[in-house]
Amino acid sequence: MGFPKIHRAMLLKPAIEAHFSDVETVCVEEKMNGFNVRIVTVDGKIIAITRGGYVCPYSTERAQKFLNIDFFEEHPELVLHGEMVGPDNPYIPKKIYNVESLELFVFDIRHKHSGIPLPLHERRQLAEEYGFTQVRLFGEFPKEEAPLRISEIIRELGKIEHEGVIIKDPMMEIAPLKYTCSQSNCADLKHAFKFYNDAGRDYLFSRVVREGFQAVEWEETGDDIDKRCLQLGRSILYPMIDSIVNIGNGVRLADEVQMRLSNLETVSKFKEYLRRQGIDAIFSEPEVVGDEFIVKIKKLNKSTNDKTLSMWKGETW
């Protein structure tokens, strides 16, 4: 039922030529910046499962609100894969997609037991029949044209701070590849370096390396490289400097997110869910918004707070 890891193209032209050597065309869909879930039914109820294999109570409530259960009753052998996107997102809140609260964008449908995906165009047609919101399809391109077309798409997506693309075999017999915008890499780094001692080293380093490969592939020189360096450096240093100053002034850093829900029981379930994940969080009192509730959450980043405070007290690295 899980979604396999998607490998990353670092240089588009050689990666596409090597990876998709057995096909004539590739499809390009948008890679959206949210959190990844699989949607199934258990005992007649829709549930949402995270990439890590956990049933998320908040995602489950939202999926039950978004989705037509007829799909699962008529296709019990299939699993929806989608990205939960929007500002009311307790994992990765984003306001860049013109989504008011939270929305599920379907990017794959697979067979439950085998994990075999539906061909891309068949999947899109089926999702459309049931009224599911889908990730954007930019087109199907001859393999030889794809690197240039994708570079053009990436430049435009970067201007609006979107994440990137997924490159797919139309029949979905070959595993997809992903490729992301520089602006998305830097946005990730900006958030991660705010909590520099909580973010994994591989997470940070890999995003810096991507910038080098993209600069080479795009044949950047002089001013373009300087601009990329400045954007990258600002993404790393400014948030870290702010964190050091704030902690030195007695501020405890927290990742502030929120969720919108219909049932307050979901708050208790989500608190327990985060506790089991080892995440310390402070929940606000619910705020009534129409017929729903907004609950704000402060997720405490203990390692960065403690490490930085110890430096202010004179400890060494």
Side-chain angles (χ1 to χ4, degrees):
M1 188 185 298
F3 191 81
K5 176 180 173 60
I6 298 178
H7 291 282
R8 182 178 302 277
M10 297 296 280
L11 296 171
L12 281 170
K13 188 173 187 297
I16 290 172
E17 287 176 352
H19 191 76
F20 295 104
S21 59
D22 294 333
V23 298
E24 297 299 320
T25 63
V26 293
C27 292
V28 180
E29 290 185 317
E30 182 163 7
K31 182 182 191 305
M32 303 188 75
N33 201 345
F35 66 96
N36 187 308
V37 292
R38 300 106 181 89
I39 313 292
V40 295
T41 52
V42 175
D43 297 330
K45 293 184 178 180
I46 292 173
I47 64 168
I49 303 170
T50 67
R51 179 180 282 279
Y54 300 99
V55 176
C56 172
Y58 178 60
S59 307
T60 293
E61 184 196 291
R62 295 289 88 183
Q64 290 171 352
K65 181 180 178 68
F66 297 150
L67 299 177
N68 182 350
I69 198 168
D70 290 350
F71 170 83
F72 300 97
E73 293 175 346
E74 294 166 12
H75 301 279
E77 77 285 3
L78 297 179
V79 180
L80 283 184
H81 295 247
E83 198 81 3
M84 290 278 197
V85 170
D88 296 333
N89 182 331
Y91 302 106
I92 305 174
K94 294 289 181 180
K95 298 180 179 179
I96 57 177
Y97 292 111
N98 197 30
V99 171
E100 180 182 353
S101 175
L102 189 72
E103 195 165 342
L104 178 72
F105 289 80
V106 173
F107 61 76
D108 202 0
I109 300 176
R110 292 181 174 246
H111 290 273
K112 184 179 294 184
H113 299 295
S114 67
I116 295 173
L118 298 186
L120 185 140
H121 294 295
E122 179 183 337
R123 179 257 295 169
R124 292 192 69 90
Q125 181 177 346
L126 183 61
E128 184 176 352
E129 289 174 6
Y130 284 90
F132 297 148
T133 304
Q134 302 184 66
V135 296
R136 179 166 31 163
L137 173 64
F138 292 103
E140 182 173 348
F141 307 115
K143 192 170 54 180
E144 296 75 18
E145 296 179 14
L148 177 59
R149 299 296 296 272
I150 293 168
S151 293
E152 293 170 348
I153 292 166
I154 286 291
R155 291 176 196 273
E156 292 304 310
L157 288 176
K159 292 176 183 178
I160 54 175
E161 299 183 351
H162 284 208
E163 185 173 12
V165 299
I166 303 291
I167 309 160
K168 298 181 176 181
D169 162 25
M171 296 306 296
M172 292 295 290
E173 293 174 352
I174 301 171
L177 293 177
K178 58 188 174 184
Y179 189 79
T180 49
C181 307
S182 174
Q183 291 85 347
S184 176
N185 292 334
C186 290
D188 288 346
L189 289 169
K190 184 177 181 179
H191 181 266
F193 271 98
K194 178 180 179 181
F195 309 108
Y196 67 90
N197 215 51
D198 290 272
R201 299 296 194 271
D202 288 345
Y203 179 90
L204 302 173
F205 181 67
S206 65
R207 281 159 175 77
V208 176
V209 171
R210 291 175 205 168
E211 293 299 302
F213 276 90
Q214 191 173 85
V216 170
E217 181 162 41
W218 289 5
E219 299 180 343
E220 293 179 353
T221 58
D223 290 346
D224 288 333
I225 293 178
D226 286 344
K227 182 179 178 181
R228 188 182 290 270
C229 290
L230 186 60
Q231 177 178 263
L232 181 61
R234 283 175 167 167
S235 301
I236 292 171
L237 281 177
Y238 274 133
M240 187 162 50
I241 290 168
D242 286 345
S243 293
I244 295 167
V245 170
N246 286 331
I247 292 172
N249 289 331
V251 177
R252 186 164 177 79
L253 295 184
D255 203 2
E256 298 185 10
V257 296
Q258 68 181 41
M259 55 186 186
R260 182 190 297 250
L261 33 80
S262 303
N263 188 342
L264 288 179
E265 288 184 14
T266 304
V267 178
S268 299
K269 292 178 181 177
F270 194 69
K271 284 181 181 178
E272 176 61 18
Y273 173 78
L274 290 184
R275 188 193 66 77
R276 293 199 309 269
Q277 302 294 313
I279 298 172
D280 293 328
I282 300 170
F283 286 69
S284 72
E285 290 298 315
E287 173 189 346
V288 178
V289 179
D291 60 351
E292 294 189 306
F293 304 93
I294 293 284
V295 175
K296 299 182 185 299
I297 306 168
K298 289 185 176 182
K299 294 192 284 186
L300 305 177
N301 292 269
K302 183 175 174 58
S303 182
T304 298
N305 280 287
D306 291 351
K307 185 73 171 179
T308 308
L309 188 59
S310 74
M311 299 297 107
W312 277 110
K313 291 180 177 179
E315 291 191 20
T316 56
W317 191 272

